[in-house]
Amino acid sequence: MYVKGVNLGNWLVLEKWMNPALFEGTTAEDEYYLPTQLSKDVYEARIRIHRSEYITERDFAYIKSVGMNAVRIPVPYFVFGDCPPFLGCVKELDKAFAWAEKYGLVILIDLHTVPGSQNGFDNGGISGVCKWAQQPESVEFTLKVLERLSERYGNRSSLWGIEIVNEPITENIWNLMDIQSRYKPEDPEMAKGSAPVTLEFLRKFYVEAYRRMRKYLPKEKVVVFHDGFELKAWKDFMREEEFKNVVLDTHLYLMTAEAEGCGRSKEDYITYVHDHYKKDIAEMQEYFPVICGEWSLFNSYACGIDTAGGQSPVNGVMATEDLLSADKKKELYRALAEAQLEAWNQGIGYFYWNYKLLLDTVNEPGWIGWDSWDFGKCAAQGWFPVEYK
Amino acid sequence: MYVKGVNLGNWLVLEKWMNPALFEGTTAEDEYYLPTQLSKDVYEARIRIHRSEYITERDFAYIKSVGMNAVRIPVPYFVFGDCPPFLGCVKELDKAFAWAEKYGLVILIDLHTVPGSQNGFDNGGISGVCKWAQQPESVEFTLKVLERLSERYGNRSSLWGIEIVNEPITENIWNLMDIQSRYKPEDPEMAKGSAPVTLEFLRKFYVEAYRRMRKYLPKEKVVVFHDGFELKAWKDFMREEEFKNVVLDTHLYLMTAEAEGCGRSKEDYITYVHDHYKKDIAEMQEYFPVICGEWSLFNSYACGIDTAGGQSPVNGVMATEDLLSADKKKELYRALAEAQLEAWNQGIGYFYWNYKLLLDTVNEPGWIGWDSWDFGKCAAQGWFPVEYK
C-alpha cells in the first residue's frame, strides 16, 4: 500500500499556534503549562470540548473522500490518563479506530511527546526543555506507554503501525534551529541541562522499543522510527533478521530547507526538493521503506517575509498583507505539492502536516501564508491536488 | 442569484442532539437550561471553545469549494450579549462576514430564537414553552434585535438578507407535531399558557418588523419571512408598493411529509416532493420569491425505523443496525436530493439543514440514518451531488 495520509495534529497533542482560543487568557506557550493557569474545571471543559469537536467521524469521511488512505495520530505520553492534571485520551483513540474501520482508512499512532521532552519544541509538550533521554525513569515510562499502545491497538484491523517517538532532536538540528533561544523555557531551572539526544542513545532506545512493542504487535503491523533529523545516519541500523517491517520516518519542511540555505523562490524550492528530498529518500529506500511523516506547502516566499524557519505571528513575526495574487499563490503551491509528492514517491508514502488548523487569516492577517499548513484549506483552494472519490 | 446554501445551525444557537458533548453531565435539553446546571466558568468555557472550533474560516473555504454560494446563520435573541448568563455572539458573526467576503459567499442572518419562544421546539431555545407572541415586551425586544442586526450588518457586502424569525408555529403544525407532549417543558409553570402563534399576529408582526428593519437595511438586501408552516396562506400579504425585496421562506422536511401521510419508500418520497413541494413552490413563486430555507435527506426509510417526525435517539428511539447497503443508501439519497433540488428550482434557492453535526454513527449506532442531516457527510459520501470547484 502506498500511504497517502494527513496528520491529525493538535487534536490529542496541542499546539498553541494552531488553536489560540484554547490558550486564551493564559500566558502558557505549551500543553504543560496550560493547566497551571486555569482552574481544573475550566481546563477540563476546554480540553473535552476541543477533543469532541476538533476531529469527529465526519473528518474521517472527508479524508477518505479526497483520496487519502491513512491518518497519523499524534498522542501524548499521558494517553493512558496516569499523569494528572492531564486528561488521558484512549477513548478518543478508540473512537478513531472505529471511524477508520468504517471509512477504510488506516492509522499510524505517533507518540508525539515524552516526559521531559525529546526536543524542546512547543509541540514536544514543554518548550525549551529537552531532558528525556537523560532521565532513565522517563525513558522507561515511554517504553511502557509503547507496550501498552501495542497491546491495546495491535490487533485492530485499521492499525497500520506505531511510531516510537516523534522528532527526537540530535545535535545538528539542535544547533541549526538554535532551540534554546527559539523556545524559551518557562522555568529555566527545569530546563537546565537540556541537550540534544545522541544518535547512540537513539539506536539503543529504538532497538529496545522495537523488542518491547513486538511482544504485542503482530508482524504485519509496522514499527516506525523517526530519523532524528539525520536521514542518512541509519544505513547500518537494524540490519539483523530480527527486525521486521520497520519503517524509517523523515520530516522534510521547506522552512528547514531555507534554514539550510535554500533560496526563497519557486525554482529554488523545486530544485532543493529534487536535489535533496528526492535523492535522499531514494538512497535510504535501499535500507528501509521510507515515509515522509510530516511536510507541508508552507514557505517564506508565499508568506512575503522570511519566517526564519517557521517563526510565526505567535513569535511576533508577521506579514501585513497578501503579496501574491490568488492565482500566483495557487500556481506556487501546486508546483511545490507536485515536486514534493514526486519526492515522496521514492519512498512508500507521506502524511501532510497538518489536516486542520483553526487560524483565521481574514480577521488576523498576520497569519496569511500560514494557512498552507492546513490540508483542508489547501484542498478547498486547489493548492493541493485532490482526487475526489 | 440562485441561492445554493447550507445552514450553520448549532454554531451560535445550540441543539443538544447535534452536539451531545456540550450538554454532558447535565440533564438540560436546551440552550436555556444549560447554564443553570454548570458553573459560570465551565458554561462559558464550553461555549467559547465550541464557537471557536465548530465553524471557522476553513469551513467557508470548504463550502465555497463544493459549489455553494450562501450560508444561513441562525443567531439567538441574545446575540448582542444583553441577556446574562448567555454569551453574545456578534464577534463570531463579525468574523463570519469577513470570511464570507473573502471566499465569495453571502449570508442570510436568521433570528432563530426569541424570548419566551415562538415554537416550543428545543431549537427555539426552550423546549415546551411557546409564549413569545403573548408577551408584548418579548415582541418589542425581538423588533429591537432585528433593528440592531439591520444596523450593524446592513451595509456589509456579503449580507444577502435577514430573516425576521425562524419557524413561528401556527395551529395546524402545533397539533400535527403534538408539541406539548413531544417537547416536555422543564418547568410546567413557565410553560402554562403556551399556544400556537396566530397567522393574524404574524402578519402584523412581519409588517412591523419589515418597517423597522428597512430603516437600516438597504433596499437591495432581502427581508425574509418564514411561512409559519402555512406556505399558501400568504397570497394576499405585503402586496403594497411599500414592501420591496421580500422573500418567503418555507421549510420542507420529509419527516413532516411522513407525519402528513407520505409512505416510507423512495417512490413515495419522490412522488410527494413532486406533487407537493414542487407544485406549492411554483404556485407561491407567483407572489414572492420562494426559498426553501431548511430541508434535508433525512427520512425514516433510511433509518430503518419510523422516526415519527424526527424523534431521535435523544428521545430513546433508535435503530440498532444499518439496514441499507452503502450502495442502496447512496442511490436513495441521491434520488431524494435530485427530486428536492428540482423542487427548490421552482423558487430562488435553498439552504440545506445542516452543514455540520457532531454525531458519531460508528460508536453510537443508534444515530445511523441521522448522519444524512450532515451536509459534510452527505457530500463526502456522494449522497449529495456536489460540483467541486
Side-chain angles (χ1 to χ4, degrees):
Chain A
M1 183 187 82
Y2 188 77
V3 174
K4 294 186 286 183
V6 288
N7 279 280
L8 304 185
N10 191 46
W11 182 33
L12 305 177
V13 175
L14 305 181
E15 297 194 29
K16 178 180 180 171
W17 72 284
M18 290 193 195
N19 193 351
L22 265 182
F23 286 77
E24 215 168 73
T26 78
T27 59
E29 292 294 330
D30 53 47
E31 182 139 31
Y32 185 86
Y33 285 101
L34 184 60
T36 69
Q37 298 197 16
L38 297 170
S39 73
K40 183 172 185 292
D41 281 354
V42 167
Y43 170 69
E44 293 190 355
R46 288 190 184 190
I47 297 295
R48 286 192 208 284
I49 297 300
H50 162 69
R51 288 185 183 166
S52 74
E53 301 218 0
Y54 193 74
I55 297 292
T56 68
E57 183 190 341
R58 81 197 286 279
D59 295 293
F60 279 64
Y62 168 82
I63 290 165
K64 180 69 179 184
S65 80
V66 293
M68 296 283 158
N69 57 23
V71 291
R72 179 172 178 261
I73 306 186
V75 300
Y77 62 86
F78 51 80
V79 54
F80 289 103
D82 47 3
C83 306
F86 304 108
L87 297 175
C89 49
V90 281
K91 266 191 204 165
E92 286 81 357
L93 203 49
D94 288 350
K95 286 183 188 175
F97 273 93
W99 298 332
E101 279 151 25
K102 169 158 179 184
Y103 292 98
L105 297 170
V106 295
I107 291 176
L108 172 61
I109 300 175
D110 149 44
L111 185 60
H112 209 73
T113 65
V114 292
S117 183
Q118 75 280 27
N119 52 33
F121 303 154
D122 54 344
N123 62 56
I126 176 163
S127 289
V129 174
C130 184
K131 292 169 72 175
W132 163 72
Q134 305 167 44
Q135 299 167 341
E137 72 286 4
S138 297
V139 173
E140 178 56 30
F141 184 93
T142 304
L143 290 165
K144 283 265 165 54
V145 170
L146 290 166
E147 282 185 90
R148 293 175 75 184
L149 288 170
S150 304
E151 189 176 7
R152 188 177 183 103
Y153 299 106
N155 291 302
R156 294 298 295 247
S157 63
S158 55
L159 182 74
W160 182 59
I162 301 179
E163 178 154 4
I164 300 174
V165 65
N166 181 65
E167 296 190 352
I169 198 164
T170 54
E171 201 176 350
N172 285 343
I173 187 96
W174 175 269
N175 294 330
L176 182 73
M177 291 191 70
D178 194 8
I179 296 300
Q180 291 187 297
S181 13
R182 177 173 299 222
Y183 298 101
K184 295 257 180 282
E186 174 75 19
D187 177 354
E189 201 52 41
M190 193 200 284
K192 209 175 264 176
S194 289
V197 178
T198 66
L199 278 168
E200 231 179 317
F201 169 86
L202 267 188
R203 284 159 188 269
K204 259 184 66 185
F205 175 73
Y206 282 158
V207 166
E208 176 71 8
Y210 177 91
R211 291 184 175 143
R212 289 173 65 168
M213 289 159 76
R214 272 286 180 242
K215 284 193 288 176
Y216 303 100
L217 205 59
K219 289 270 188 299
E220 67 270 18
K221 309 294 188 184
V222 299
V223 171
V224 179
F225 74 94
H226 181 265
D227 66 3
F229 305 99
E230 291 287 355
L231 179 52
K232 298 197 204 162
W234 306 93
K235 291 183 181 173
D236 57 354
F237 186 58
M238 287 195 179
R239 295 298 87 202
E240 297 79 5
E241 188 63 26
E242 175 192 357
F243 304 104
K244 293 196 161 54
N245 227 352
V246 176
V247 169
L248 172 58
D249 175 25
T250 189
H251 297 174
L252 297 168
Y253 285 119
L254 296 173
M255 62 184 183
T256 315
E258 291 174 7
E260 280 168 345
C262 171
R264 276 81 164 149
S265 75
K266 184 173 90 173
E267 293 66 30
D268 285 320
Y269 295 135
I270 291 173
T271 303
Y272 194 94
V273 166
H274 193 270
D275 292 353
H276 295 267
Y277 296 177
K278 189 176 172 185
K279 216 174 118 281
D280 294 351
I281 290 177
E283 185 177 331
M284 290 309 295
Q285 179 72 19
E286 301 288 315
Y287 301 90
F288 291 97
V290 179
I291 196 140
C292 181
E294 293 189 17
W295 65 288
S296 86
L297 300 177
F298 177 76
N299 64 84
S300 286
Y301 176 57
C303 289
I305 52 158
D306 184 350
T307 69
Q311 292 277 58
S312 77
V314 170
N315 315 98
V317 180
M318 57 181 80
T320 48
E321 55 177 325
D322 211 342
L323 296 173
L324 293 178
S325 70
D327 283 349
K328 279 267 177 231
K329 193 179 271 191
K330 186 169 169 178
E331 188 201 322
L332 169 70
Y333 285 138
R334 281 300 272 247
L336 298 182
E338 276 152 31
Q340 291 182 90
L341 289 169
E342 192 192 318
W344 318 150
N345 225 7
Q346 307 302 307
I348 61 157
Y350 64 84
F351 293 94
Y352 195 85
W353 188 276
N354 190 36
Y355 167 60
K356 178 176 182 178
L357 287 81
L358 298 176
L359 301 183
D360 185 338
T361 64
V362 180
N363 296 290
E364 296 171 61
W367 288 111
I368 288 172
W370 272 261
D371 43 358
S372 59
W373 289 104
D374 184 329
F375 177 83
K377 279 189 185 162
C378 291
Q381 293 176 90
W383 299 345
F384 191 103
V386 160
E387 307 154 43
Y388 292 102
K389 299 286 170 193
Chain B
M1 183 186 81
Y2 187 77
V3 174
K4 294 186 286 184
V6 289
N7 279 280
L8 304 185
N10 191 45
W11 182 32
L12 305 176
V13 175
L14 305 182
E15 295 194 31
K16 179 181 181 171
W17 71 284
M18 292 193 193
N19 193 351
L22 264 182
F23 286 77
E24 216 168 73
T26 78
T27 59
E29 291 295 329
D30 53 46
E31 182 141 30
Y32 186 86
Y33 285 101
L34 185 60
T36 68
Q37 298 196 17
L38 297 170
S39 73
K40 182 172 186 290
D41 281 353
V42 167
Y43 170 69
E44 294 188 356
R46 288 191 184 188
I47 298 294
R48 287 191 208 284
I49 297 301
H50 162 69
R51 289 185 183 166
S52 74
E53 300 219 359
Y54 193 75
I55 297 292
T56 67
E57 183 191 342
R58 82 197 285 278
D59 295 293
F60 280 63
Y62 168 82
I63 290 166
K64 180 69 179 182
S65 80
V66 292
M68 297 283 157
N69 57 24
V71 292
R72 179 171 177 262
I73 305 185
V75 301
Y77 62 85
F78 51 81
V79 53
F80 289 103
D82 46 3
C83 307
F86 305 108
L87 297 175
C89 50
V90 281
K91 266 191 201 164
E92 287 81 0
L93 203 49
D94 288 350
K95 285 183 189 175
F97 273 93
W99 298 332
E101 279 150 24
K102 170 160 176 183
Y103 291 98
L105 297 171
V106 295
I107 292 177
L108 172 60
I109 299 176
D110 148 43
L111 184 60
H112 209 73
T113 66
V114 292
S117 185
Q118 74 280 27
N119 53 33
F121 303 154
D122 55 342
N123 62 57
I126 176 163
S127 289
V129 175
C130 183
K131 292 169 72 175
W132 164 70
Q134 306 168 43
Q135 299 167 341
E137 71 286 7
S138 297
V139 173
E140 178 57 30
F141 184 93
T142 304
L143 290 164
K144 283 263 164 57
V145 170
L146 290 166
E147 281 186 272
R148 292 176 76 184
L149 288 170
S150 303
E151 188 177 8
R152 188 178 183 102
Y153 299 107
N155 291 301
R156 294 299 294 247
S157 63
S158 55
L159 181 75
W160 182 59
I162 300 179
E163 178 155 3
I164 299 175
V165 65
N166 181 64
E167 295 190 353
I169 198 164
T170 54
E171 202 176 348
N172 286 342
I173 186 95
W174 175 269
N175 294 331
L176 182 74
M177 291 190 71
D178 193 8
I179 295 301
Q180 290 187 299
S181 14
R182 177 174 297 224
Y183 298 101
K184 294 258 180 281
E186 175 75 19
D187 177 354
E189 202 50 43
M190 193 200 283
K192 208 174 266 178
S194 288
V197 178
T198 65
L199 277 167
E200 228 180 321
F201 169 87
L202 267 188
R203 284 160 189 271
K204 259 185 66 185
F205 176 73
Y206 282 160
V207 166
E208 175 71 6
Y210 177 91
R211 289 183 176 144
R212 288 172 66 168
M213 289 159 76
R214 272 286 179 242
K215 283 194 288 178
Y216 303 100
L217 204 60
K219 289 271 188 299
E220 67 272 17
K221 308 294 187 185
V222 298
V223 171
V224 179
F225 73 95
H226 181 265
D227 66 4
F229 305 100
E230 291 288 355
L231 178 52
K232 298 197 204 162
W234 306 93
K235 291 182 180 172
D236 58 353
F237 186 58
M238 287 193 176
R239 296 296 89 202
E240 298 79 5
E241 187 65 24
E242 176 191 357
F243 304 104
K244 293 197 161 55
N245 227 352
V246 177
V247 169
L248 172 57
D249 176 24
T250 189
H251 297 175
L252 297 168
Y253 284 119
L254 296 173
M255 62 183 184
T256 315
E258 291 174 8
E260 281 168 344
C262 171
R264 277 79 163 150
S265 76
K266 186 173 90 174
E267 292 66 31
D268 285 320
Y269 295 135
I270 290 174
T271 304
Y272 194 95
V273 167
H274 192 270
D275 292 352
H276 296 267
Y277 297 178
K278 189 175 171 185
K279 217 176 115 281
D280 294 352
I281 291 178
E283 186 178 331
M284 289 309 295
Q285 180 72 19
E286 300 289 316
Y287 302 89
F288 291 96
V290 179
I291 196 141
C292 181
E294 293 189 17
W295 67 287
S296 87
L297 300 177
F298 178 76
N299 64 83
S300 285
Y301 176 57
C303 288
I305 53 159
D306 184 351
T307 69
Q311 292 279 57
S312 79
V314 169
N315 315 98
V317 179
M318 56 181 79
T320 48
E321 53 176 326
D322 212 340
L323 296 173
L324 294 177
S325 70
D327 283 348
K328 280 268 179 230
K329 193 179 270 191
K330 186 169 168 178
E331 189 201 321
L332 170 69
Y333 285 139
R334 279 302 272 249
L336 297 182
E338 275 153 29
Q340 292 184 90
L341 289 169
E342 193 192 317
W344 317 150
N345 225 7
Q346 308 303 307
I348 61 158
Y350 65 85
F351 293 94
Y352 195 85
W353 187 277
N354 189 36
Y355 167 60
K356 178 176 183 178
L357 288 82
L358 298 177
L359 301 184
D360 184 339
T361 63
V362 180
N363 295 291
E364 296 171 60
W367 288 112
I368 287 171
W370 272 261
D371 44 357
S372 59
W373 290 103
D374 184 329
F375 177 82
K377 278 189 185 161
C378 291
Q381 293 176 90
W383 299 345
F384 190 103
V386 159
E387 308 154 41
Y388 292 103
K389 299 287 168 193

